[in-house]
Amino acid sequence: MADHVDQVLGPTDDTVSFFQARGMFYVTALWVLAAAWLPMLLITLGVRAAAGYRPDAGDIVVFVELTLVVPAVVAAALMLAVWRRLGWLHTSVHGLDFAATGRRGIHLPWSGIAAVGLHGRGPFTELVITPIAEDYASELPGKGGPPRVRRRGGEFAYIIDVGLMSPGPEVLLAELHRRVPSKV
């Protein structure tokens, strides 16, 4: 990645931080998993009933237990897997530092941003940051996978999951509009 001049005169305490709250991540993972798990259990039960299976009271108790316990356990395991790797974003006079969940961080100076926009709704909202050039950003040291990117028709963009960030995506968009009003 190429180095670019990123020296700005201004206050050093101008940083605004956005982060994904662990509790919100867990609860969202829980309801998404439960919404997927219950239909799978109902389909399995329907297929078994069509094949002649008749559940007794003990089977119904096990079904209810599976409905409640499996999503909670899987959401907890998922939370433990991403515990220290949830997405974050910092804005300062020097530019934008960000990382998607489980990915390495990126630094992009304000002069390197071509466009910024939100896509999606609710907890699945994503921030799409299009740099002026692919080599304008620099990767920050740390653990994680490669940055999440999108390539469409010669356009290169970074994708950050911001639906669960605190403060919310609307506040993030307002902050970015304050920093780069012509590109939001």
Side-chain angles (χ1 to χ4, degrees), residues 1-56:
M1 302 224 174
D3 290 327
H4 297 278
V5 176
D6 190 20
Q7 294 187 5
V8 178
L9 297 176
T12 57
D13 61 349
D14 189 23
T15 300
V16 178
S17 295
F18 298 85
F19 60 93
Q20 284 183 334
R22 290 182 177 108
M24 288 179 64
F25 182 88
Y26 176 78
V27 168
T28 302
L30 181 63
W31 71 258
V32 168
L33 288 165
W37 180 245
L38 182 61
M40 288 190 301
L41 283 176
L42 291 174
I43 289 170
T44 303
L45 189 61
V47 168
R48 291 177 74 185
Y53 172 74
R54 299 291 174 242
D56 59 8

Short mmCIF file of all heavy atoms in Angstrom, two decimals, residues 1-56:
data_model
loop_
_atom_site.label_atom_id
_atom_site.label_comp_id
_atom_site.label_asym_id
_atom_site.label_seq_id
_atom_site.Cartn_x
_atom_site.Cartn_y
_atom_site.Cartn_z
N MET A 1 0.84 -1.18 0.00
CA MET A 1 0.00 0.00 0.00
C MET A 1 0.88 1.24 0.00
O MET A 1 1.91 1.28 0.66
CB MET A 1 -0.91 0.00 1.22
CG MET A 1 -1.78 -1.20 1.33
SD MET A 1 -3.41 -0.70 1.76
CE MET A 1 -4.22 -2.26 1.63
N ALA A 2 0.47 2.23 -0.71
CA ALA A 2 1.26 3.45 -0.83
C ALA A 2 1.03 4.36 0.38
O ALA A 2 -0.05 4.38 0.96
CB ALA A 2 0.88 4.19 -2.12
N ASP A 3 2.05 5.08 0.75
CA ASP A 3 1.92 6.06 1.83
C ASP A 3 1.48 7.39 1.24
O ASP A 3 1.94 7.80 0.17
CB ASP A 3 3.25 6.24 2.55
CG ASP A 3 3.63 5.01 3.34
OD1 ASP A 3 2.70 4.35 3.85
OD2 ASP A 3 4.83 4.71 3.45
N HIS A 4 0.62 8.09 1.93
CA HIS A 4 0.14 9.38 1.49
C HIS A 4 0.31 10.38 2.62
O HIS A 4 0.30 10.03 3.79
CB HIS A 4 -1.35 9.30 1.10
CG HIS A 4 -1.60 8.38 -0.04
ND1 HIS A 4 -1.41 8.75 -1.34
CD2 HIS A 4 -1.98 7.08 -0.07
CE1 HIS A 4 -1.70 7.72 -2.12
NE2 HIS A 4 -2.03 6.70 -1.37
N VAL A 5 0.45 11.63 2.24
CA VAL A 5 0.61 12.67 3.25
C VAL A 5 -0.70 12.77 4.03
O VAL A 5 -1.76 12.91 3.45
CB VAL A 5 0.95 14.02 2.58
CG1 VAL A 5 1.01 15.12 3.61
CG2 VAL A 5 2.25 13.91 1.84
N ASP A 6 -0.59 12.67 5.33
CA ASP A 6 -1.78 12.70 6.17
C ASP A 6 -1.53 13.56 7.40
O ASP A 6 -1.84 13.18 8.51
CB ASP A 6 -2.15 11.27 6.58
CG ASP A 6 -3.51 11.20 7.26
OD1 ASP A 6 -4.31 12.14 7.08
OD2 ASP A 6 -3.76 10.22 7.96
N GLN A 7 -0.94 14.71 7.21
CA GLN A 7 -0.66 15.59 8.34
C GLN A 7 -1.71 16.69 8.36
O GLN A 7 -1.92 17.38 7.38
CB GLN A 7 0.73 16.18 8.22
CG GLN A 7 1.80 15.12 8.34
CD GLN A 7 3.18 15.72 8.40
OE1 GLN A 7 3.32 16.93 8.43
NE2 GLN A 7 4.17 14.86 8.42
N VAL A 8 -2.35 16.82 9.51
CA VAL A 8 -3.42 17.79 9.66
C VAL A 8 -3.15 18.59 10.92
O VAL A 8 -2.78 18.04 11.95
CB VAL A 8 -4.78 17.07 9.79
CG1 VAL A 8 -5.89 18.07 10.00
CG2 VAL A 8 -5.04 16.23 8.57
N LEU A 9 -3.33 19.88 10.81
CA LEU A 9 -3.24 20.73 12.00
C LEU A 9 -4.62 20.79 12.62
O LEU A 9 -5.59 21.10 11.95
CB LEU A 9 -2.76 22.13 11.63
CG LEU A 9 -1.35 22.20 11.04
CD1 LEU A 9 -1.04 23.62 10.62
CD2 LEU A 9 -0.32 21.70 12.03
N GLY A 10 -4.72 20.48 13.88
CA GLY A 10 -6.01 20.51 14.54
C GLY A 10 -5.92 19.87 15.90
O GLY A 10 -4.87 19.38 16.30
N PRO A 11 -7.02 19.87 16.61
CA PRO A 11 -7.01 19.27 17.96
C PRO A 11 -6.79 17.76 17.89
O PRO A 11 -7.28 17.10 16.99
CB PRO A 11 -8.40 19.61 18.50
CG PRO A 11 -9.25 19.81 17.29
CD PRO A 11 -8.33 20.35 16.22
N THR A 12 -6.06 17.25 18.85
CA THR A 12 -5.79 15.82 18.88
C THR A 12 -6.89 15.05 19.61
O THR A 12 -6.94 13.85 19.53
CB THR A 12 -4.44 15.52 19.57
OG1 THR A 12 -4.49 16.09 20.88
CG2 THR A 12 -3.30 16.10 18.76
N ASP A 13 -7.76 15.75 20.32
CA ASP A 13 -8.82 15.08 21.08
C ASP A 13 -10.16 15.14 20.33
O ASP A 13 -11.21 15.14 20.93
CB ASP A 13 -8.96 15.70 22.47
CG ASP A 13 -9.31 17.18 22.42
OD1 ASP A 13 -9.25 17.77 21.32
OD2 ASP A 13 -9.66 17.74 23.47
N ASP A 14 -10.09 15.18 19.03
CA ASP A 14 -11.28 15.32 18.19
C ASP A 14 -11.84 13.96 17.76
O ASP A 14 -12.67 13.87 16.89
CB ASP A 14 -10.91 16.15 16.95
CG ASP A 14 -12.12 16.52 16.14
OD1 ASP A 14 -13.22 16.54 16.69
OD2 ASP A 14 -11.96 16.78 14.94
N THR A 15 -11.40 12.89 18.37
CA THR A 15 -11.79 11.55 17.96
C THR A 15 -13.21 11.21 18.43
O THR A 15 -13.56 11.45 19.57
CB THR A 15 -10.81 10.51 18.51
OG1 THR A 15 -9.51 10.81 18.02
CG2 THR A 15 -11.20 9.11 18.09
N VAL A 16 -13.98 10.63 17.52
CA VAL A 16 -15.30 10.10 17.85
C VAL A 16 -15.25 8.61 17.57
O VAL A 16 -14.83 8.20 16.49
CB VAL A 16 -16.42 10.76 17.01
CG1 VAL A 16 -17.77 10.16 17.33
CG2 VAL A 16 -16.43 12.26 17.24
N SER A 17 -15.63 7.79 18.54
CA SER A 17 -15.54 6.34 18.41
C SER A 17 -16.91 5.70 18.31
O SER A 17 -17.84 6.08 19.02
CB SER A 17 -14.80 5.74 19.61
OG SER A 17 -13.47 6.18 19.64
N PHE A 18 -17.01 4.73 17.42
CA PHE A 18 -18.21 3.91 17.26
C PHE A 18 -17.77 2.47 17.44
O PHE A 18 -16.71 2.08 16.96
CB PHE A 18 -18.81 4.11 15.87
CG PHE A 18 -19.25 5.52 15.61
CD1 PHE A 18 -18.36 6.47 15.16
CD2 PHE A 18 -20.57 5.89 15.82
CE1 PHE A 18 -18.75 7.78 14.93
CE2 PHE A 18 -20.98 7.19 15.59
CZ PHE A 18 -20.07 8.14 15.15
N PHE A 19 -18.57 1.67 18.13
CA PHE A 19 -18.20 0.28 18.38
C PHE A 19 -19.44 -0.59 18.43
O PHE A 19 -20.55 -0.10 18.66
CB PHE A 19 -17.42 0.16 19.70
CG PHE A 19 -18.22 0.63 20.88
CD1 PHE A 19 -18.98 -0.26 21.62
CD2 PHE A 19 -18.23 1.97 21.25
CE1 PHE A 19 -19.74 0.18 22.69
CE2 PHE A 19 -18.98 2.41 22.32
CZ PHE A 19 -19.74 1.51 23.05
N GLN A 20 -19.25 -1.87 18.19
CA GLN A 20 -20.36 -2.82 18.30
C GLN A 20 -20.44 -3.30 19.74
O GLN A 20 -19.48 -3.86 20.27
CB GLN A 20 -20.14 -4.02 17.39
CG GLN A 20 -20.41 -3.73 15.95
CD GLN A 20 -20.26 -4.97 15.10
OE1 GLN A 20 -19.54 -5.89 15.44
NE2 GLN A 20 -20.95 -4.98 13.98
N ALA A 21 -21.58 -3.09 20.36
CA ALA A 21 -21.78 -3.53 21.73
C ALA A 21 -21.97 -5.05 21.76
O ALA A 21 -22.70 -5.60 20.96
CB ALA A 21 -23.00 -2.84 22.33
N ARG A 22 -21.29 -5.70 22.67
CA ARG A 22 -21.35 -7.17 22.76
C ARG A 22 -22.76 -7.66 23.05
O ARG A 22 -23.21 -8.66 22.51
CB ARG A 22 -20.37 -7.66 23.81
CG ARG A 22 -18.94 -7.50 23.39
CD ARG A 22 -17.99 -8.07 24.45
NE ARG A 22 -16.64 -7.96 24.00
CZ ARG A 22 -15.75 -7.10 24.49
NH1 ARG A 22 -16.09 -6.29 25.46
NH2 ARG A 22 -14.52 -7.07 24.01
N GLY A 23 -23.45 -6.98 23.95
CA GLY A 23 -24.81 -7.40 24.30
C GLY A 23 -25.75 -7.33 23.11
O GLY A 23 -26.56 -8.24 22.88
N MET A 24 -25.66 -6.26 22.33
CA MET A 24 -26.51 -6.13 21.15
C MET A 24 -26.17 -7.21 20.12
O MET A 24 -27.05 -7.75 19.46
CB MET A 24 -26.36 -4.74 20.54
CG MET A 24 -27.02 -3.65 21.36
SD MET A 24 -26.82 -2.01 20.66
CE MET A 24 -27.70 -2.16 19.14
N PHE A 25 -24.89 -7.51 19.99
CA PHE A 25 -24.47 -8.56 19.06
C PHE A 25 -25.05 -9.90 19.49
O PHE A 25 -25.58 -10.65 18.67
CB PHE A 25 -22.94 -8.64 19.00
CG PHE A 25 -22.43 -9.66 18.03
CD1 PHE A 25 -22.23 -9.33 16.71
CD2 PHE A 25 -22.16 -10.95 18.44
CE1 PHE A 25 -21.77 -10.28 15.80
CE2 PHE A 25 -21.70 -11.90 17.56
CZ PHE A 25 -21.51 -11.56 16.22
N TYR A 26 -24.95 -10.21 20.79
CA TYR A 26 -25.47 -11.49 21.30
C TYR A 26 -26.97 -11.60 21.08
O TYR A 26 -27.46 -12.62 20.59
CB TYR A 26 -25.12 -11.66 22.78
CG TYR A 26 -25.72 -12.92 23.36
CD1 TYR A 26 -25.14 -14.16 23.11
CD2 TYR A 26 -26.88 -12.87 24.11
CE1 TYR A 26 -25.71 -15.32 23.62
CE2 TYR A 26 -27.45 -14.03 24.62
CZ TYR A 26 -26.85 -15.24 24.37
OH TYR A 26 -27.42 -16.39 24.86
N VAL A 27 -27.72 -10.57 21.45
CA VAL A 27 -29.18 -10.62 21.33
C VAL A 27 -29.60 -10.73 19.86
O VAL A 27 -30.50 -11.50 19.52
CB VAL A 27 -29.81 -9.38 22.01
CG1 VAL A 27 -31.28 -9.26 21.67
CG2 VAL A 27 -29.62 -9.45 23.51
N THR A 28 -28.91 -10.02 18.98
CA THR A 28 -29.25 -10.11 17.55
C THR A 28 -28.93 -11.49 17.01
O THR A 28 -29.72 -12.08 16.27
CB THR A 28 -28.49 -9.03 16.76
OG1 THR A 28 -28.85 -7.75 17.29
CG2 THR A 28 -28.85 -9.09 15.29
N ALA A 29 -27.76 -12.03 17.38
CA ALA A 29 -27.42 -13.39 16.96
C ALA A 29 -28.44 -14.39 17.50
O ALA A 29 -28.84 -15.32 16.80
CB ALA A 29 -26.01 -13.75 17.42
N LEU A 30 -28.89 -14.17 18.73
CA LEU A 30 -29.86 -15.07 19.35
C LEU A 30 -31.18 -15.10 18.57
O LEU A 30 -31.69 -16.15 18.23
CB LEU A 30 -30.10 -14.65 20.80
CG LEU A 30 -31.07 -15.49 21.61
CD1 LEU A 30 -30.57 -16.91 21.76
CD2 LEU A 30 -31.30 -14.86 22.97
N TRP A 31 -31.73 -13.92 18.25
CA TRP A 31 -33.02 -13.93 17.56
C TRP A 31 -32.89 -14.38 16.12
O TRP A 31 -33.81 -15.00 15.58
CB TRP A 31 -33.78 -12.62 17.71
CG TRP A 31 -33.29 -11.41 17.01
CD1 TRP A 31 -32.60 -10.37 17.56
CD2 TRP A 31 -33.49 -11.05 15.64
NE1 TRP A 31 -32.35 -9.40 16.62
CE2 TRP A 31 -32.88 -9.79 15.43
CE3 TRP A 31 -34.10 -11.66 14.56
CZ2 TRP A 31 -32.87 -9.16 14.20
CZ3 TRP A 31 -34.10 -11.02 13.32
CH2 TRP A 31 -33.49 -9.79 13.16
N VAL A 32 -31.78 -14.10 15.46
CA VAL A 32 -31.59 -14.59 14.09
C VAL A 32 -31.47 -16.11 14.09
O VAL A 32 -32.07 -16.80 13.25
CB VAL A 32 -30.36 -13.92 13.43
CG1 VAL A 32 -29.97 -14.61 12.14
CG2 VAL A 32 -30.63 -12.44 13.18
N LEU A 33 -30.69 -16.64 15.02
CA LEU A 33 -30.55 -18.10 15.11
C LEU A 33 -31.87 -18.76 15.48
O LEU A 33 -32.22 -19.81 14.93
CB LEU A 33 -29.47 -18.46 16.13
CG LEU A 33 -28.03 -18.18 15.68
CD1 LEU A 33 -27.09 -18.23 16.87
CD2 LEU A 33 -27.61 -19.15 14.61
N ALA A 34 -32.62 -18.17 16.40
CA ALA A 34 -33.91 -18.74 16.79
C ALA A 34 -34.89 -18.69 15.62
O ALA A 34 -35.65 -19.65 15.41
CB ALA A 34 -34.48 -17.98 17.99
N ALA A 35 -34.86 -17.61 14.85
CA ALA A 35 -35.76 -17.49 13.70
C ALA A 35 -35.42 -18.52 12.62
O ALA A 35 -36.29 -18.93 11.85
CB ALA A 35 -35.68 -16.08 13.12
N ALA A 36 -34.18 -18.94 12.54
CA ALA A 36 -33.79 -19.98 11.58
C ALA A 36 -33.98 -21.39 12.15
O ALA A 36 -34.34 -22.31 11.42
CB ALA A 36 -32.34 -19.78 11.16
N TRP A 37 -33.76 -21.54 13.44
CA TRP A 37 -33.80 -22.86 14.08
C TRP A 37 -35.22 -23.40 14.21
O TRP A 37 -35.47 -24.58 13.96
CB TRP A 37 -33.12 -22.77 15.44
CG TRP A 37 -33.07 -24.04 16.22
CD1 TRP A 37 -33.70 -24.30 17.40
CD2 TRP A 37 -32.37 -25.24 15.89
NE1 TRP A 37 -33.43 -25.56 17.82
CE2 TRP A 37 -32.61 -26.17 16.91
CE3 TRP A 37 -31.57 -25.62 14.83
CZ2 TRP A 37 -32.09 -27.45 16.90
CZ3 TRP A 37 -31.03 -26.89 14.81
CH2 TRP A 37 -31.29 -27.80 15.85
N LEU A 38 -36.15 -22.56 14.60
CA LEU A 38 -37.53 -23.02 14.81
C LEU A 38 -38.14 -23.59 13.53
O LEU A 38 -38.71 -24.70 13.57
CB LEU A 38 -38.39 -21.90 15.39
CG LEU A 38 -39.84 -22.28 15.68
CD1 LEU A 38 -39.90 -23.40 16.71
CD2 LEU A 38 -40.61 -21.07 16.16
N PRO A 39 -38.06 -22.92 12.38
CA PRO A 39 -38.61 -23.54 11.16
C PRO A 39 -37.93 -24.86 10.80
O PRO A 39 -38.59 -25.78 10.31
CB PRO A 39 -38.35 -22.49 10.08
CG PRO A 39 -38.22 -21.21 10.80
CD PRO A 39 -37.63 -21.55 12.14
N MET A 40 -36.63 -24.97 11.05
CA MET A 40 -35.94 -26.24 10.76
C MET A 40 -36.50 -27.35 11.64
O MET A 40 -36.73 -28.47 11.17
CB MET A 40 -34.44 -26.10 10.95
CG MET A 40 -33.78 -25.27 9.87
SD MET A 40 -31.99 -25.31 9.87
CE MET A 40 -31.55 -24.69 11.47
N LEU A 41 -36.74 -27.05 12.91
CA LEU A 41 -37.32 -28.06 13.80
C LEU A 41 -38.75 -28.42 13.38
O LEU A 41 -39.13 -29.59 13.41
CB LEU A 41 -37.32 -27.55 15.25
CG LEU A 41 -35.99 -27.59 15.98
CD1 LEU A 41 -36.13 -26.97 17.37
CD2 LEU A 41 -35.46 -29.00 16.10
N LEU A 42 -39.52 -27.42 12.98
CA LEU A 42 -40.91 -27.68 12.56
C LEU A 42 -40.94 -28.53 11.28
O LEU A 42 -41.77 -29.42 11.15
CB LEU A 42 -41.66 -26.36 12.36
CG LEU A 42 -41.96 -25.58 13.64
CD1 LEU A 42 -42.56 -24.23 13.30
CD2 LEU A 42 -42.87 -26.37 14.56
N ILE A 43 -40.05 -28.24 10.34
CA ILE A 43 -39.98 -29.04 9.11
C ILE A 43 -39.59 -30.48 9.44
O ILE A 43 -40.18 -31.43 8.93
CB ILE A 43 -39.00 -28.40 8.10
CG1 ILE A 43 -39.60 -27.12 7.55
CG2 ILE A 43 -38.66 -29.38 6.97
CD1 ILE A 43 -38.63 -26.28 6.74
N THR A 44 -38.59 -30.65 10.33
CA THR A 44 -38.18 -32.00 10.74
C THR A 44 -39.34 -32.74 11.39
O THR A 44 -39.59 -33.91 11.09
CB THR A 44 -36.99 -31.91 11.71
OG1 THR A 44 -35.93 -31.21 11.08
CG2 THR A 44 -36.51 -33.28 12.14
N LEU A 45 -40.04 -32.05 12.27
CA LEU A 45 -41.19 -32.67 12.95
C LEU A 45 -42.28 -33.02 11.95
O LEU A 45 -42.90 -34.10 12.03
CB LEU A 45 -41.72 -31.73 14.04
CG LEU A 45 -42.77 -32.29 14.98
CD1 LEU A 45 -42.21 -33.49 15.75
CD2 LEU A 45 -43.24 -31.23 15.94
N GLY A 46 -42.54 -32.14 10.97
CA GLY A 46 -43.55 -32.40 9.94
C GLY A 46 -43.20 -33.59 9.06
O GLY A 46 -44.07 -34.42 8.75
N VAL A 47 -41.91 -33.69 8.68
CA VAL A 47 -41.48 -34.83 7.86
C VAL A 47 -41.62 -36.12 8.65
O VAL A 47 -42.09 -37.15 8.13
CB VAL A 47 -40.03 -34.62 7.36
CG1 VAL A 47 -39.45 -35.89 6.76
CG2 VAL A 47 -39.98 -33.48 6.35
N ARG A 48 -41.21 -36.08 9.91
CA ARG A 48 -41.33 -37.29 10.74
C ARG A 48 -42.79 -37.68 10.95
O ARG A 48 -43.13 -38.87 10.95
CB ARG A 48 -40.63 -37.07 12.08
CG ARG A 48 -39.10 -36.98 11.93
CD ARG A 48 -38.42 -36.70 13.21
NE ARG A 48 -38.45 -37.92 14.04
CZ ARG A 48 -38.00 -37.96 15.29
NH1 ARG A 48 -37.50 -36.88 15.85
NH2 ARG A 48 -38.05 -39.07 15.97
N ALA A 49 -43.67 -36.68 11.14
CA ALA A 49 -45.10 -36.97 11.33
C ALA A 49 -45.69 -37.55 10.05
O ALA A 49 -46.53 -38.45 10.10
CB ALA A 49 -45.85 -35.71 11.74
N ALA A 50 -45.24 -37.05 8.89
CA ALA A 50 -45.72 -37.57 7.61
C ALA A 50 -45.27 -39.01 7.39
O ALA A 50 -45.94 -39.78 6.70
CB ALA A 50 -45.24 -36.70 6.46
N ALA A 51 -44.16 -39.37 8.02
CA ALA A 51 -43.63 -40.74 7.90
C ALA A 51 -44.25 -41.68 8.95
O ALA A 51 -43.85 -42.84 9.04
CB ALA A 51 -42.12 -40.73 8.03
N GLY A 52 -45.19 -41.17 9.75
CA GLY A 52 -45.88 -42.02 10.69
C GLY A 52 -45.46 -41.86 12.15
O GLY A 52 -45.98 -42.52 13.03
N TYR A 53 -44.56 -40.95 12.43
CA TYR A 53 -44.09 -40.72 13.80
C TYR A 53 -45.14 -39.95 14.59
O TYR A 53 -45.67 -38.94 14.12
CB TYR A 53 -42.77 -39.95 13.75
CG TYR A 53 -42.26 -39.48 15.09
CD1 TYR A 53 -41.71 -40.37 16.00
CD2 TYR A 53 -42.35 -38.13 15.44
CE1 TYR A 53 -41.25 -39.92 17.23
CE2 TYR A 53 -41.89 -37.69 16.66
CZ TYR A 53 -41.34 -38.59 17.55
OH TYR A 53 -40.88 -38.15 18.77
N ARG A 54 -45.46 -40.40 15.78
CA ARG A 54 -46.40 -39.72 16.67
C ARG A 54 -45.68 -39.38 17.96
O ARG A 54 -45.34 -40.26 18.75
CB ARG A 54 -47.61 -40.60 16.97
CG ARG A 54 -48.41 -40.98 15.76
CD ARG A 54 -49.13 -39.74 15.19
NE ARG A 54 -49.79 -40.10 13.93
CZ ARG A 54 -49.49 -39.55 12.76
NH1 ARG A 54 -48.57 -38.65 12.67
NH2 ARG A 54 -50.13 -39.91 11.68
N PRO A 55 -45.42 -38.06 18.21
CA PRO A 55 -44.69 -37.69 19.42
C PRO A 55 -45.54 -37.86 20.68
O PRO A 55 -46.74 -37.64 20.67
CB PRO A 55 -44.36 -36.21 19.20
CG PRO A 55 -45.39 -35.73 18.25
CD PRO A 55 -45.77 -36.92 17.40
N ASP A 56 -44.87 -38.26 21.76
CA ASP A 56 -45.55 -38.34 23.06
C ASP A 56 -45.15 -37.11 23.87
O ASP A 56 -44.46 -36.22 23.38
CB ASP A 56 -45.22 -39.65 23.77
CG ASP A 56 -43.73 -39.83 24.04
OD1 ASP A 56 -42.96 -38.88 23.80
OD2 ASP A 56 -43.35 -40.92 24.48
#
